[in-house]
């Protein structure tokens, strides 16, 4: 089984876009849009309380570590939360991590 229920081992940074470009590009665009939403939700809470460097560090960690892991857990068939029966309505669970 690929990566178990915790982390995937393929498609990192869009590396599989060349195999099925149409479907993969649509999926990549969808995921990048949700990732942007997930990181900007925090911006309202930390506005004028955080330096730009701190916010950029948060965005890098959120978009490269936290978001991909949570997406795998919930939306992938192999994800451990998905196997437990979690249903994410319209992506709200993943976006509001």
């Amino acid at each position: 089984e690929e990566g178990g229920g915790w982390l995937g081992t393929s498609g990192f940074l869009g590396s599989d876009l060349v195999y099925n470009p149409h479907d993969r590009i649509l999926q990549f665009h969808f995921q990048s849009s949700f990732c942007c939403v997930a990181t900007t939700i925090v911006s309202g809470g930390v506005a004028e309380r955080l330096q730009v460097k701190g916010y950029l560090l948060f965005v890098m960690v959120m978009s490269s570590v936290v978001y991909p892991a949570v997406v795998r857990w919930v939306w992938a068939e192999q994800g451990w939360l998905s196997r437990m029966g979690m249903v994410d309505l319209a992506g709200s669970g993943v976006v509001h991590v």
Side-chain angles (χ1 to χ4, degrees), residues 5-96:
W6 291 94
L7 295 174
T9 58
S10 66
F12 184 70
L13 288 176
S15 63
D16 60 349
L17 289 176
V18 292
Y19 299 116
N20 190 354
H22 182 68
D23 291 341
R24 297 295 184 191
I25 289 173
L26 290 175
Q27 183 69 12
F28 183 78
H29 179 69
F30 173 80
Q31 292 296 344
S32 63
S33 299
F34 263 72
C35 185
C36 288
V37 169
T39 56
T40 56
I41 286 173
V42 175
S43 68
V46 298
E48 298 183 11
R49 294 182 182 97
L50 202 62
Q51 291 182 357
V52 173
K53 290 179 187 177
Y55 182 67
L56 290 177
L57 178 64
F58 164 77
V59 168
M60 288 188 329
V61 171
M62 177 70 172
S63 61
S64 62
V65 178
V66 176
Y67 181 81
V70 174
V71 164
R72 167 91 177 164
W73 299 343
V74 177
W75 289 342
E77 292 178 13
Q78 307 89 355
W80 67 276
L81 288 174
S82 178
R83 284 191 202 164
M84 293 177 63
M86 179 177 177
V87 177
D88 187 21
L89 300 173
S92 62
V94 171
V95 170
H96 293 94

